[in-house]
C-alpha cells in the first residue's frame, strides 16, 4: 500500500510517501515540505500548497492520503490556516479519486512509538528506524508527514488499533525489527 | 463590480453573487446554497462544495470572491469543517485568477446594517431591501453570502470602513435608498 501523509500547514506543509508491505515493513518513497511565503495573500498561499500536493500525487500516485486531524482546541494563531490546508489536502484526494483519512496526533504517536504522549524526537527517531534512514527526517513537518503515512498503513490494516490482538503491537514489532536491523 | 460571497460550511455553504455599481447600488445576480450530505466522507463533502462553487464561478464570472473569516474561538463542533470549506473557496478564487478577501461577521453586520451586533433578521431584512427582493433570502446561509458580497463591495471601495467621511455611512445610505424605493 502506498500512502501519502500530509502534515498540514501554510508556512510548511509536510508531505511524505511510504510503501508499506503486508508484513508491515515500510520503505521511504518521497519526503518533502511545501512552503508558502507568509507575506503572500491567503488564496495564493493555499494555491501554492495545492500545487505542491498535486505534484506529489501525480509523481507518486499514492493509494490513499492521510492527513492530520486538526482541532479547534489547538488554540494557536495558525490553527485556521492549518485547517484550511487540511481541507485542501482532503479535496485533492477526492479529485484524484483516492480515499482520504484523518488521524489525531495522539493516534500517530501511539502507532509509531507505542506511546500517545511521545515527544517529537521519539517520533522522528522511530520514523528513521522504521524506514532505515541514515538521519532523522527534517524538518519536523516532514517527519510528521511520514509518521502519519505509517500510522495510516498500520491502523488501516484493522489490527493496529488494538494492541491486545497479538504479543506485539505494530509499533513494538517495528521497534523490534528496527533494533534487530541496527545490530546487523 | 461583480462579487461572489461565500458563507462557508459543509452541510450548507451559502453562495451569492451581486453586481455593485460605483454609486453603491446593488443588483442580485445569483443566490443559492451548496449542500453536502452529513454522512458522506469528508473528502467527498469538500469535493461537492468545491464543485458547487466552481459552477457559480464558471456561470457568473465574478471579479472577486469574499468569504467569511472563521475564528477558532467560535468553538462550535463545526468550526473545522467551516474552516476547511473556507480554504476551498479561497483556493478556487486563486485557481480562477481572481482575488479573494475575508471579512468577519462583525464587519459584515456593520457594513450592511450600520451595527456590528445586528441579529440575523436585521441582516436578512437589509439584504432584501438593498437588493429590492420581494422576500427575505433564505436559508440564512444564502442571506449571509449576499451580505458578505455586499460588504466586500462597499468596504472594498475604501470608503466603507470609515463612517466619518460623509454625512451618511454606506449602510445608512442604503437604508435611505431602500426606504425611498419602498415608498415609490
Amino acid at each position: 500500500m502506498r500512502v501519502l501523509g500530509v502534515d498540514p500547514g501554510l508556512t510548511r506543509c509536510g508531505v511524505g510517501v511510504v510503501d508499506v508491505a503486508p508484513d508491515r515493513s515500510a520503505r521511504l518513497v518521497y519526503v518533502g515540505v511545501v512552503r508558502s511565503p507568509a507575506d503572500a495573500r491567503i488564496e495564493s498561499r493555499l494555491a501554492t500548497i495545492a500545487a505542491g500536493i498535486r505534484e506529489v500525487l501525480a509523481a507518486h500516485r499514492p493509494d490513499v492520503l492521510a492527513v492530520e486531524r486538526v482541532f479547534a482546541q489547538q488554540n494557536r494563531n495558525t490553527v485556521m490556516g492549518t485547517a484550511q490546508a487540511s481541507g485542501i489536502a482532503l479535496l485533492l484526494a477526492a479529485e484524484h479519486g483516492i480515499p482520504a483519512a484523518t488521524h489525531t496526533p495522539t493516534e500517530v504517536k501511539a502507532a509509531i512509538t507505542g506511546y500517545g504522549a511521545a515527544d517529537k524526537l521519539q517520533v522522528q527517531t522511530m520514523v528513521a528506524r522504521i524506514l532505515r534512514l541514515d538521519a532523522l527526517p527534517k524538518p519536523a513537518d516532514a517527519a510528521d508527514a511520514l509518521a502519519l503515512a505509517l500510522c495510516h498503513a498500520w491502523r488501516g490494516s484493522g489490527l493496529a488499533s488494538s494492541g491486545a490482538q497479538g504479543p506485539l503491537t505494530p509499533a513494538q514489532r517495528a521497534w523490534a525489527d528496527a533494533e534487530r536491523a541496527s545490530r546487523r
Side-chain angles (χ1 to χ4, degrees), chain A residues 34-170:
Chain A
V34 184
R35 299 169 195 273
S36 81
D39 58 353
R41 297 176 62 92
I42 175 69
E43 67 272 27
S44 156
R45 301 188 73 183
L46 291 166
T48 301
I49 299 297
I53 296 173
R54 278 200 184 103
E55 267 181 37
V56 177
L57 284 164
H60 301 292
R61 306 198 161 276
D63 302 308
V64 58
L65 182 148
V67 60
E68 185 178 309
R69 184 173 302 173
V70 186
F71 291 98
Q73 290 80 344
Q74 298 167 258
N75 207 351
R76 298 169 293 160
N77 283 337
T78 56
V79 69
M80 285 298 111
T82 305
Q84 290 174 328
S86 79
I88 302 297
L90 291 165
L91 171 68
L92 295 179
E95 293 189 347
H96 280 72
I98 61 172
T102 60
H103 300 286
T104 67
T106 302
E107 287 169 347
V108 174
K109 289 171 186 172
I112 301 300
T113 72
Y115 176 48
D119 65 24
K120 283 211 172 273
L121 183 60
Q122 275 177 282
V123 174
Q124 283 173 297
T125 303
M126 269 308 295
V127 167
R129 289 193 184 200
I130 294 162
L131 296 174
R132 298 171 182 80
L133 309 178
D134 292 334
L136 299 189
K138 288 190 177 170
D141 315 81
D144 285 348
L146 292 172
L148 259 158
L150 291 168
C151 165
H152 181 78
W154 288 346
R155 288 174 53 97
S157 74
L159 291 171
S161 55
S162 163
Q165 291 183 344
L168 289 182
T169 66

